[in-house]
Every structure is written in structure tokens, then in C-alpha cells.
Amino acid sequence: MVSSIVVQYTELLRSSSHDLWVRLRELLKGQGLDPARTTVVDLLQGGLDHEDGRVISDDDRVYTFRLRYDQTAEHGARSARLEDWTDVTGSWETGSLATRTAGAFAWKSAARTGGWHPSAVPEPSPAGYTRCVHVTADPADAYRRAMRLCALMEHRGEEAELLTHLESVGEVRRMAAALPNARFVHRPYPGAPPSCGAGGCEPDVPAMDDRALEAHLPLEMSARFPRGTAEDRVIEALGDDGNAVFLVWPGRWPDRPEHGLRGFVHDAVQVAFRGDHSDPAWPSGRHAVHVHVSEESGRRGVEYLTARADVHP
């Protein structure tokens, strides 16, 4: 099981312009880590002068550290410094963060080998296999190919599912217009002043002016809607930049044992709009189509489906 904290904080490390994350990227580079390939397990406020963190490097080393800075100063994070940098690769399996660290390793591995989809937060599909089958610069093309694959399902879910992480007022306005019944959640994270309490809140986006909305950024957005009713609006709302937007169409593939395919309760097709094919939680300028099958079906099952749908990389 991967914690949503791992997914959110890793995305912030890679792309956020907030002082804390910009400075942490600089400090990690100084330790020889590539922030674009580093997974954040935790970053927790330990007082008004420090945060305690844990990260996993690209070569699977686990490090703990203390990030020291004056949190009462407006730009205190810009001068943050690392303390107590410790390699705990041999001992991370004990302690309060053991379960989250194990989940982070599993998520990191899945992103390398085929991808991650929104239903994996907080709990991924057990015993499943995921493969990226098409990457394109055209979001409409990605959607069309996803629908070709969905047409092969023996049973199709009635709803599509969307998940994204929004960091600008413009993004929020566009996506809220596309999906008026979506859920928006603000979760405070290290380096940003709290706007609605330590536990977060669900702001009333339509009722807010831009200034009030900006104070509640970033926002997690999730939505379910009848398949085929809003996908075009979502594509139009993507804009030119922003974080990855995940659309998932669940269902069940037919049993075709002669082709290595077995239907599975977590079968699905996903498009990661602006999601890099090697790590869909990392924003990019491309749009990736992923197929989810059972572990038993694996690569052979995916190749059968893509051949039937005429979907190729």
C-alpha cells in the first residue's frame, strides 16, 4: 500500500516552485541525489525550526535527515540547511515509517516498470500488472486509443474516474468548469502556511474569488462521472501546462486463456494526460495510455489486447 503522502510529496519535490521544495532540491543535489528520481517518504514538521524527512534515492538507498530553517520568517526556507543526514538502508524496516517506506518502494518500482494509476492511492490493485502501450503529444489521440481498448472489455464500468493535483487558480477554474461536481481537497504540506487548519479542508471552489482560492492551493481533485459524458470537456480543460491528470475506465477483460488473458476485478484502461510514460506521476508534455490486467495475464495478455485494438507505442 502506498501512502498518498508519498505520491504528493514526491510530485512536489519534482515540480513545486515553493521555497521549501526548491531549496530541498538544491540540498539533495549536494548529497549526490537526483531530485527528479528521488522518492519522498516523509517530511514532517518537528518544531518551528526544523522538519524531519526521509527519502529514497534512485539506486534504492534510504536516507533520513533534518531540514533546519526559521519557519517564522517569510522566506526562511530559502536558507534551509541539512543536518543529521543518515543512510538507514540497512535498518529502515523497523520503526514508525517502515510500512510507508515499503509502500514507497513498491510504488517506485511500479512507476519504473509500467506506471501508476489513481486507484493505487491509497491502495493499489493487488496482484496486478500495468503496461504503458501508447504515448502521444495529442490528448485526443490518447483518448481515442483508450476507447478502442475499452471496447474490448467484456464488462465496462458505468463511471470514469479522475484524479489530479492542481497548483494554479487557472487550472482549478478550468477543471471545475469541466466537472462541476468534482471534489476538491486542500491538504497543508511542509513549507506552506495553513489556510484551513492542520487537517485540511474541502473548499467551496465555485464560491471563492481568485484570491481566496489561491490561499487554498494546492488542491487535490477527484471526480467520478458517467463514462462518455465529460471526457471531451476534461481534454479541453487541460491547458498548456500543469500536473498530470489521470482518467481511468474500470471494467473486466474477457477470459481468453489461449491468449494468456484472464478477466480480473481490477482490470482498467488509464490515460495519464501530461504523464510521462516511464513515471506518470511526473508531469510531461506527453499523454500516455496504460492497460491494467491481472498478474497472471501479464505482458502476454496486454499484447493480445493491444493487437486486437490496433494500439501501438
Side-chain angles (χ1 to χ4, degrees), residues 4-13 165 187 189 218 220:
S4 60
I5 290 175
V6 172
V7 178
Q8 182 183 9
Y9 284 16
T10 299
E11 181 180 342
L12 289 167
L13 175 66
H165 182 88
R187 303 187 194 279
Y189 60 85
E220 294 176 9

Side-chain angles (χ1 to χ4, degrees), residues 5-309:
I5 290 175
V6 172
V7 178
Q8 182 183 9
Y9 284 16
T10 299
E11 181 180 342
L12 289 167
L13 175 66
R14 295 174 179 181
S15 61
S16 177
S17 60
H18 283 281
D19 288 347
L20 176 67
W21 299 102
V22 172
R23 179 58 176 159
L24 184 55
R25 287 196 288 271
E26 295 172 351
L27 293 169
L28 291 176
K29 287 178 183 177
Q31 296 295 324
L33 275 64
D34 180 357
R37 298 184 177 278
T38 297
T39 303
V40 181
V41 178
D42 196 34
L43 191 62
L44 180 67
Q45 185 177 21
L48 293 178
D49 64 346
H50 72 275
E51 318 241 1
D52 293 315
R54 175 176 292 193
V55 296
I56 304 173
S57 66
D58 186 44
D59 60 353
D60 294 337
R61 308 296 298 180
V62 183
Y63 299 95
T64 61
F65 59 90
R66 177 158 290 179
L67 193 64
R68 180 84 61 180
Y69 67 100
D70 183 0
Q71 297 180 21
T72 63
E74 182 178 0
H75 296 294
R78 294 181 181 178
S79 57
R81 64 184 188 277
L82 280 181
E83 296 179 353
D84 301 329
W85 180 263
T86 307
D87 187 333
V88 296
T89 305
S91 59
W92 66 263
E93 294 180 81
T94 60
S96 60
L97 288 175
T99 299
R100 189 187 299 176
T101 305
F105 267 115
W107 176 71
K108 180 172 179 281
S109 175
R112 280 176 175 168
T113 57
W116 165 84
H117 61 94
S119 60
V121 177
E123 188 162 356
S125 303
Y129 176 87
T130 300
R131 188 173 179 85
C132 176
V133 297
H134 183 71
V135 179
T136 176
D138 180 1
D141 175 58
Y143 174 54
R144 285 192 298 269
R145 292 175 190 266
M147 291 303 97
R148 284 191 208 170
L149 288 159
C150 286
L152 300 177
M153 287 179 169
E154 186 173 66
H155 301 290
R156 295 181 66 178
E158 295 296 321
E159 293 182 317
E161 305 169 11
L162 177 144
L163 180 71
T164 188
H165 182 88
L166 306 172
E167 292 192 331
S168 74
V169 171
E171 281 184 282
V172 175
R173 295 296 187 206
R174 292 195 306 269
M175 297 302 289
L179 295 170
N181 295 322
R183 180 188 183 198
F184 296 91
V185 178
H186 172 72
R187 303 187 194 279
Y189 60 85
S195 56
C196 57
C201 62
E202 296 188 29
D204 186 357
V205 168
M208 288 181 165
D209 61 24
D210 287 357
R211 183 175 180 180
L213 182 55
E214 187 171 17
H216 287 80
L217 296 177
L219 288 173
E220 294 176 9
M221 176 186 178
S222 59
R224 293 175 182 263
F225 55 89
R227 58 179 169 84
T229 63
E231 289 91 343
D232 288 342
R233 297 200 303 272
V234 170
I235 291 172
E236 290 176 5
L238 289 174
D240 296 327
D241 53 26
N243 289 316
V245 176
F246 302 94
L247 266 180
V248 180
W249 297 269
R252 187 181 181 94
W253 304 115
D255 287 328
R256 297 288 185 269
E258 67 276 18
H259 298 291
L261 184 66
R262 293 282 187 181
F264 180 53
V265 67
H266 294 290
D267 288 338
V269 175
Q270 171 195 290
V271 174
F273 294 106
R274 290 197 296 260
D276 185 277
H277 73 285
S278 62
D279 185 351
W282 186 5
S284 77
R286 298 175 296 179
H287 315 285
V289 182
H290 300 261
V291 172
H292 307 289
V293 297
S294 67
E295 189 173 48
E296 179 185 3
S297 298
R299 181 170 182 168
R300 186 181 174 205
V302 171
E303 290 177 345
Y304 167 72
L305 291 169
T306 54
R308 286 283 312 278

